[in-house]
Amino acid sequence: MAMNESAENYLETILILSKSHPVVRSVDISEEMGFKKSSVSVAMKNLRENNHITVTKEGFIYLTDSGRKIAEMIYERHQVISEWLISLGVDPKVAVTDACKMEHDVSPESFAAIKKHIQSQ
């Protein structure tokens, strides 16, 4: 399924926030990502219309199965690529920034090869 980088980042952020917050709200996403509430609102509407999230009447945001699958894929890529770059001697801040760019564009085949290589060491 083709999805843009921005939507993937929102789903990943919802996943990360759900690990540390009892509930996730638009304001939490806005604060975490540094975006205006209006921008987050538009993104949440699009994610809801594409069935990647549900929003309760109280404004609590939950990932659907499809949203969780995408978020977990992006989050895993971020973690693995960041750790890999750090292990290669890249400064941790640079590694995290670069991983954020790479996680969206790396093919499943290349990512699987990177994971396999890391696990074999």
Side-chain angles (χ1 to χ4, degrees):
M1 131 179 266
M3 174 174 274
N4 69 39
E5 182 176 328
S6 175
E8 290 176 347
N9 282 334
Y10 277 107
L11 292 173
E12 182 184 24
T13 298
I14 294 166
L15 177 69
I16 292 167
L17 288 171
S18 71
K19 294 175 185 287
S20 61
H21 290 60
V23 292
V24 177
R25 302 163 301 149
S26 288
V27 67
D28 302 318
I29 298 166
S30 176
E31 289 172 4
E32 180 70 20
M33 298 182 82
F35 294 156
K36 293 180 183 176
K37 292 176 189 170
S38 58
S39 298
V40 173
S41 179
V42 169
M44 294 306 104
K45 178 180 182 277
N46 291 334
L47 291 173
R48 191 178 65 250
E49 287 176 351
N50 287 300
N51 298 313
H52 295 307
I53 63 168
T54 59
V55 182
T56 67
K57 64 182 179 203
E58 298 85 5
F60 302 154
I61 299 166
Y62 297 97
L63 295 168
T64 63
D65 288 342
S66 68
R68 180 166 298 281
K69 182 177 178 182
I70 295 164
E72 288 176 347
M73 176 195 67
I74 295 298
Y75 184 69
E76 178 191 27
R77 288 177 174 200
H78 180 88
Q79 294 297 107
V80 169
I81 294 170
S82 294
E83 291 170 12
W84 177 53
L85 292 172
I86 291 167
S87 76
L88 295 174
V90 176
D91 177 88
K93 287 183 181 180
V94 174
V96 167
T97 300
D98 287 348
C100 282
K101 297 171 189 170
M102 296 167 67
E103 67 195 25
H104 302 284
D105 293 326
V106 67
S107 71
E109 180 182 354
S110 293
F111 181 68
I114 291 168
K115 265 179 66 172
K116 183 178 177 184
H117 176 74
I118 292 168
Q119 292 168 346
S120 70
Q121 294 186 337

